[in-house]
Amino acid sequence: MDLAQLSDRILTGDRRALARAITLVESSRADHREQARELLERLRGSGREAIRIGLSGTPGVGKSTFTEAFGMMLLGQGLRVAVLAVDPSSARSGGSILGDKTRMDRLSREKDAFIRPSPSQSQLGGVARRSREAVALCEAAGFDVVIIETVGVGQSETVVAEMSDLFVLLLAPAGGDELQGVKRGIMEIADLILINKADGDLKATATRTCADYAGALRLLRKRPQDPQGFPKAMMVSALAGTGLTEAWDEMQALIGWRREAGWWERRRAEQARYWFDQEVRNALLSQLETGTARAALDRLGQAVAEGRVTPGAAAREMLETLSGQHTAV
C-alpha cells in the first residue's frame, strides 16, 4: 500500500481513500497496525479540526433518523458531515448488521457526507476500538462535523465522551421521570439532552419529559466547563425536522464559550493523554494472546480450578512469566 498516495488522497477529501484508510486502522493484523500508525503520523500535521459530536441514546429512540435529519440540516448550511455509526456485535457469532448506512439513504447519497458503520466487537463503552483513529482520519479529510453514533445500550456509554467535543444524549418521550434524570454516569457527561419524537400525539408527553430532565439537570453539580444554562434539555423531532436548527445553535454557543474560556484545548489535551494510556493498556493486554502466554494461562488456570494454587499467587506467577522473570515453582 502506497501510504504517501493514500494520505494525499485523504487530504483532498477523497471518500474512497478515507474508507480504505478506516479499514486499515480497524484491522488487527500487525503489519496493518504498523501501516495505520505511519498513516496517522503522516496526517497528524494537517492542522484540520472538526467539531466532534458524540451521540448516544437507547435503542429505538431514533438515533439514525435524527443523525440523517441533523446531517442534512448541516449540509444545507454548507458544512461537510461525517458519520461514524457503531453497530453492536453478536456475543455468539461476533457479526454485525452494519445497517446504519441503509437507514440514512438520503444522507448517504450526498457528496459532502460520509457514513461509515463499524462493528463494536468486544469493545465496551458504546464505540468501536478504533473509532478515535477514524475520527482523526475524517478530520484530515476536511469534514467540518464528525458525528460518532454509539451502540445505544444505556447508561454505561461514557467512552465516546473521550473522543468528542460535545456529548448529546437522545431520549424518547416518557423515557423516565425526575429520578431517572438524576442518575449518575451518562447524565453527568451529557452536554445537551434532546427529547426526540416531539411531534403528533407525543408532543405533550415530550414537553413533560423535557421539563423533568431540565429540572433534574439543575440538581446536578455544576461543571466548570459549562457556561450558565448548560447542560440543558430541548425538544426535537427528527421526523418533522423541528428543533434541529435550535439544537445546532446551542451546540455552537457552547463550543464558542469553551473556546474562549480555554476549555476546548484543555479538553483535547486531556483526551490525547487518555488515549495514550489506553494504547499502553491494550498493548499490554495483547501480550496475553501470544502462544507462550496462552499456554501459561491454561496451565495456571487449571491449577487454580483444582485448588492447587490461589488466584492471587497464580496471577503473580503469570505476570512474572510475561515480564521474563518466571521461576518454576
Side-chain angles (χ1 to χ4, degrees):
M1 182 179 295
D2 189 339
L3 296 180
Q5 184 183 40
L6 183 62
S7 62
D8 288 342
R9 288 174 58 195
I10 291 172
L11 291 172
T12 62
D14 189 323
R15 292 188 298 177
R16 296 182 70 178
L18 176 58
R20 189 179 180 189
I22 294 177
T23 299
L24 177 65
V25 301
E26 288 180 344
S27 174
S28 58
R29 275 178 44 177
D31 58 332
H32 286 174
R33 289 304 310 147
E34 189 58 40
Q35 289 178 327
R37 281 190 286 270
E38 183 181 339
L39 177 63
L40 289 165
E41 190 62 29
R42 284 175 175 271
L43 296 171
R44 184 171 58 89
S46 66
R48 295 175 177 176
E49 195 175 72
I51 295 174
R52 308 170 182 173
I53 301 174
L55 178 66
S56 184
T58 52
V61 75
K63 289 193 300 295
S64 295
T65 306
F66 171 82
T67 300
E68 180 175 58
F70 187 66
M72 292 298 293
M73 183 270 296
L74 294 177
L75 290 176
Q77 296 190 13
L79 300 173
R80 298 184 70 219
V81 180
V83 179
L84 302 175
V86 183
D87 218 31
S89 298
S90 168
R92 293 184 177 181
S93 67
S96 299
I97 297 175
L98 302 179
D100 295 271
K101 199 167 184 177
T102 304
R103 284 177 173 155
M104 305 178 208
D105 59 323
R106 284 191 303 148
L107 191 61
S108 64
R109 292 196 296 265
E110 296 290 332
K111 64 179 180 63
D112 287 329
F114 175 81
I115 302 174
R116 172 70 180 218
S118 297
S120 65
Q121 297 175 326
S122 59
Q123 183 76 8
L124 300 178
V127 296
R129 180 173 178 180
R130 299 298 172 185
S131 291
R132 177 190 60 86
E133 295 176 350
V135 169
L137 291 171
C138 290
E139 284 190 312
F143 286 93
D144 302 299
V145 180
V146 179
I147 301 172
I148 308 111
E149 182 188 317
T150 70
V151 167
V153 291
Q155 295 182 353
S156 63
E157 293 183 70
T158 55
V159 177
V160 69
E162 297 296 338
M163 64 179 73
S164 56
D165 303 311
L166 293 173
F167 183 74
V168 177
L169 181 60
L170 205 62
L171 298 175
D177 52 18
E178 296 93 335
L179 182 60
Q180 188 73 21
V182 296
K183 285 186 176 179
R184 299 309 193 239
I186 199 167
M187 287 293 299
E188 289 185 314
I189 63 173
D191 295 307
L192 199 62
I193 294 177
L194 301 180
I195 313 302
N196 194 24
K197 304 183 180 181
D199 51 57
D201 296 338
L202 288 174
K203 188 166 185 180
T205 307
T207 302
R208 289 195 299 271
T209 303
C210 186
D212 286 343
Y213 277 96
L217 288 173
R218 286 193 290 271
L219 297 177
L220 295 178
R221 182 181 302 170
K222 181 170 173 55
R223 306 178 305 184
Q225 69 268 31
D226 292 331
Q228 190 64 35
F230 283 90
K232 62 175 57 180
M234 301 177 64
M235 293 190 301
V236 298
S237 170
L239 193 63
T242 56
L244 300 178
T245 303
E246 291 79 4
W248 175 237
D249 289 342
E250 294 293 348
M251 293 180 201
Q252 288 182 298
L254 180 57
I255 289 169
W257 186 88
R258 286 180 175 172
R259 283 186 186 274
E260 291 179 6
W263 281 102
W264 178 279
E265 294 295 334
R266 190 182 311 177
R267 181 59 182 148
R268 288 220 168 182
E270 291 172 354
Q271 290 174 346
R273 178 59 187 266
Y274 171 87
W275 288 108
F276 162 71
D277 291 343
Q278 291 302 307
E279 284 294 327
V280 173
R281 292 173 188 271
N282 290 333
L284 292 174
L285 287 173
S286 67
Q287 294 183 21
L288 296 175
E289 301 303 320
T290 63
T292 303
R294 294 305 310 175
L297 279 172
D298 291 340
R299 176 177 60 81
L300 292 168
Q302 186 63 31
V304 170
E306 293 172 357
R308 292 187 284 112
V309 64
T310 64
R316 184 181 63 185
E317 185 175 342
M318 185 68 216
L319 292 173
E320 290 173 350
T321 301
L322 291 175
S323 63
Q325 301 174 0
H326 171 62
T327 53
V329 177

